[in-house]
Amino acid sequence: SEGPTPLQYCPERYNQTFTGYAAGDRIEAGNNIYECLPDPYEKYCNIATFDASLFEDDENANELWSNCWAHVSSCYR
């Protein structure tokens, strides 16, 4: 049987003021690694706070924004 998966070292913490996140980028939040998903999610990785005006571009904006970062694994610092 395989042993437990070793914990990964955490990447940089999510930065709410950084707007250059792209699909495949990984960040840390709460000792967990998250990866920015590709389009149509990618642009939402750079929006720290949901705003109703996002519905003007896409009626599914809330779902896309809520799911733009996919959980990868736990991590440690």
Side-chain angles (χ1 to χ4, degrees):
S1 70
E2 294 182 27
T5 303
L7 275 179
Q8 295 184 33
Y9 191 72
C10 293
E12 287 188 30
R13 283 193 173 100
Y14 177 71
N15 180 340
Q16 292 188 353
T17 60
F18 180 69
T19 57
Y21 290 116
D25 285 351
R26 291 185 171 195
I27 53 92
E28 178 266 335
N31 291 331
N32 285 285
I33 300 172
Y34 294 91
E35 183 173 312
C36 180
L37 295 177
D39 280 336
Y41 298 96
E42 184 177 35
K43 75 176 185 175
Y44 295 96
C45 294
N46 293 296
I47 301 172
T49 305
F50 187 81
D51 185 280
S53 67
L54 295 171
F55 287 121
E56 294 171 13
D57 289 337
D58 192 322
E59 64 185 15
N60 298 314
N62 192 40
E63 188 231 339
L64 294 169
W65 179 81
S66 298
N67 296 299
C68 65
W69 291 102
H71 182 260
V72 175
S73 68
S74 298
C75 63
Y76 71 92
R77 289 214 168 270

